[in-house]
Structure formats: C-alpha cells, structure tokens
Amino acid sequence: MKKFALIALILTVGVTCAFAATLKVPWFVDNAAVGAGIPPSGGSDGFFPTLTLVYLSSSSTSVLNCTIEYFDENGNSLGPDAPANTFSINPQATVAFRPVRSDLADSGSNPLGQEGAAGNAIPDRPQDDGKKNGSLLITYPGAGGELGGAVWVYQQGAQRASAISLAHVLI
C-alpha cells in the first residue's frame, strides 16, 4: 500500500507540474498610427508619435506555442483571454510585432507597415481603458533561453528629421 501511495504521489506531482519559461517586456508605448513608418510620422493626439517593435527570436528546434498577457501601469491584467492570447513561433524564427496595433506590411495598402504575417498573428494589447502603453508577459513551455529578443522604441521629435531610437535586449 505504501508503494502505491508513493507512486500515486509521484504521478500527481509529475502531472500537475508543468515547466514553462517567461519573457517580460517591462514597459512599452505605441501611439503611432498604422503605416506611420520609422521614425513614425503624425502625432495628432498631442504627443510625439512613438512606435514600439518587439522582436522575438526562437532558438528552439521545435515550434514554440506561446501565450501573451498585457498589464496596465498598476499591474492589472488586461488580457486578452484564452484562447485569443496564443500564438506560435516557428523553429529558429524571428518575428517582430507592434504590441498595440495590427500593422501588417503590404506593398499596396500599407507599404510602411512594420509586421510580417507571423508578427501580425501575435495578439495586440486590449484597449478597453483607452491607453496605448503597458507591459507584457510571454509564457512558453520548455527551458528558459529558448526565446529571446529585443524591444525597439522609435519616436519622432519636433521635426521629422529628429528621432529617438532605443533598444533593450530581452533574455
């Protein structure tokens, strides 16, 4: 009986413990319009237009099935809710996405778009609160380090020729 109880305990712990890794973007702002280019043009909302691109790079030899969750400045979860919070990254692939906008590059209708098809498939931040900023957390099964990347922030200055570009590495 003791052996049976020990085996049941091991199976219970083994089945309920899932190993997952995370990647966090601590803060982003993305108030530039779709197709704004780099540096972004516009800024009609009273702020200099800021465009954020999150690059994710997989070093895995298999598809990484990921979930994404966005947070406001107070740490409150904004969603999106499952299953609309999932996306996949192909083995050894790198994708770029805008966390607030769907900005699919298209040679006809959106030549200055910043997302490819894989990046455009990553869910955007819900904007129920009317804001275009926050943080995000990406979770994926497997070992840490199989997903890395960078965050690039582009901002137009007072004149189009004046621009700021910042990068942060995500590990």
Side-chain angles (χ1 to χ4, degrees):
M1 186 67 176
K2 289 182 184 178
K3 287 182 183 178
F4 177 73
L6 181 61
I7 291 171
L9 177 65
I10 290 171
L11 287 174
T12 302
V13 170
V15 170
T16 59
C17 291
F19 295 99
T22 60
L23 191 64
K24 177 131 178 129
V25 173
W27 192 252
F28 63 84
V29 175
D30 192 349
N31 64 357
V34 170
I38 294 178
S41 60
S44 60
D45 62 357
F47 298 97
F48 290 132
T50 303
L51 185 143
T52 296
L53 285 172
V54 178
Y55 295 87
L56 301 174
S57 184
S58 170
S59 61
S60 176
T61 56
S62 59
V63 173
L64 288 178
N65 295 309
C66 305
T67 60
I68 191 166
E69 184 175 10
Y70 291 94
F71 300 89
D72 67 14
E73 68 275 9
N74 296 314
N76 300 312
S77 176
L78 301 171
D81 295 329
N85 64 341
T86 61
F87 64 96
S88 298
I89 299 178
N90 287 328
Q92 307 296 324
T94 298
V95 299
F97 73 99
R98 290 184 64 183
V100 174
R101 302 246 191 251
S102 176
D103 197 10
L104 183 62
D106 180 306
S107 61
S109 63
N110 191 17
L112 297 177
Q114 298 302 311
E115 295 177 318
N120 192 255
I122 297 173
D124 293 332
R125 178 201 191 277
Q127 294 181 41
D128 299 336
D129 61 356
K131 295 186 178 180
K132 299 172 185 165
N133 57 26
S135 64
L136 65 89
L137 181 70
I138 296 171
T139 306
Y140 59 96
E146 288 186 312
L147 187 63
V151 177
W152 281 85
V153 179
Y154 304 93
Q155 185 177 57
Q156 176 191 328
Q159 299 175 354
R160 178 111 172 118
S162 164
I164 299 169
S165 176
L166 302 169
H168 303 278
V169 175
L170 304 172
I171 53 172

